[in-house]
Amino acid sequence: MNLHRYFLVAVALLAMTPAFAQSKKNKKRGVPDRVINVDYSAEKGPMNTMFKQCVGAGRANEGLRADWQQQLAYVKKACDFKYIRMHGLLTDDMAVYKEDSKGNPEYNFQYVDVLYDYLLSIGIKPFVELGFMPSALASGNQTIFWWKGNVTPPKDYKKWEELIRALTQHFTERYGAEEVKTWYFEVWNEPNLSPGFWTGTQEEYFKLYKYSAQAIKSVNPEYKVGGPGTAGAAWESEMIAYCTKNNVPIDFISTHSYGVSQGFLDEYGNSGTVLSKDPMSVSGDVLQSRKEIASSTKPNLELHYTEWSSSYTPADPLHDSYHEAAYILEKVKQVGNAANSMSYWVFTDIFEEPGPRFTPFHGGFGLLNTQGIAKPAFYAYQFMNKLGKSELKNTDTRSWASKNDNGGIQLLFWDFTYTLPDSTNNQVYYIRDLPAKEKGKVKVNMTNLPEGTYTLEIFKVGYRSNDAYTTYLDMGRPKQLSRQQVEEIKKKNNGDAVETEIIHIKAGTPFSKEINMRENDVFLLNLTKR
């Protein structure tokens, strides 16, 4: 059968399917293909808020900067992240460890205190990543990143253990055991990427983990420690088996996943990353991790994805694109209850792994750019944070419906469409102006709303709607932004409601609304009882 005949047969078969026939009927009658039905009285249970349990940041020393702290306070207020995780707590620029002329350890936690005092002052707890190696304790001189995090095993594991014990004891004395019991201690970062983040073997990582866990539990056995913090959901079963066999304590499994189809580490974005076509990328890893834990000797361990995003390089324009908002929501929804946290990597472009960046939009990981301009990704998290405490039953797979204690109801829904052309990488495609195609109408039906008057606010993210990068393109992509240009971009993409109206609901009368949807649009409908 030639290709032309094959195509005609395929079309004919498709046209015979009930779904296709119903879609054609709907279009003729002007009925939307997508209908979301929400019953105010049909509660599913408490809203799962694992999406805001944790967020990432580049390295600890950046947390001493005023602009970093200002941005974190803003993100905390808008998105309400509970924990923050970052690299480099023990790296030389945090001045934690040195040795005297006789080789005796000297500890200094003053920089750590400044950082952690600030985090706790704004209501964010540390998800403590123990790394990288202080150079005075290192067995070698291999480093990673512009800021030179040492990635070699310790020259003396007992000295490492004593450092971790002293640090944990210091936290206990400064913040109290009851506070530190709520923290998480994660040993190292991506040790399976060797020589990238760890020059040792898996066996040597497990040894590092053992000494770290011993140190932490010796201060308080109720403190939570885990790992392996791997790239690509690796070493999970091996980690559990090691801890079981050797009677080493472990309270959680941590690992990472990114949505590109090749590689794990690319500081500069030179390889040309490609967003995976797999509809279950990232989320498939999370579901598999939960299965591995469930079938292990420790089936009740918590699961924390301590890094995730669409791409693992801080030079990927997808991070700046309006596509990222829909991508985030798609993945969080698919994960469901499988993870205890999904820590988006990262909250700000104040992030110097490849060195200070020279342009305001460079494909950085952040929810905010260097100037504090909110990207579409930021609004995905802000919209999720606006959802109420109680989830409502809802069969639509790309939405959440909820209600709060004040009689309000919220509906967050989106379209996710993979638009990356074949043989094109992210760095070439997402840097363009990318108009979104129409996807038809979505009809929202809400029933059993309490009688009364409501304010309806509609919030939106999509092409040219809270789409700061496209505004930046319109300016000609200046390499530097003036103060006026920053304010203009912020003003045009400030997250305000795109539509507000007063509606009156009578008892037993449903509320309906039709929304025009385009590719990768995100909408939040928020009804507040007056």
Side-chain angles (χ1 to χ4, degrees), residues 431-471:
I431 203 168
R432 307 170 186 167
D433 183 38
L434 295 171
K437 296 177 182 176
E438 296 293 332
K439 291 296 291 275
K441 294 182 183 295
V442 176
K443 186 174 183 181
V444 175
N445 298 316
M446 295 183 177
T447 56
N448 291 317
L449 284 170
E451 185 172 6
T453 301
Y454 294 78
T455 300
L456 168 64
E457 296 173 294
I458 301 178
F459 301 90
K460 180 183 178 183
V461 176
Y463 177 63
R464 295 192 177 275
S465 183
N466 289 309
D467 177 14
Y469 179 71
T470 303
T471 306

Side-chain angles (χ1 to χ4, degrees), residues 33 178 182 216 530:
D33 283 339
E178 293 308 306
T182 67
I216 291 162
R530 292 164 68 90

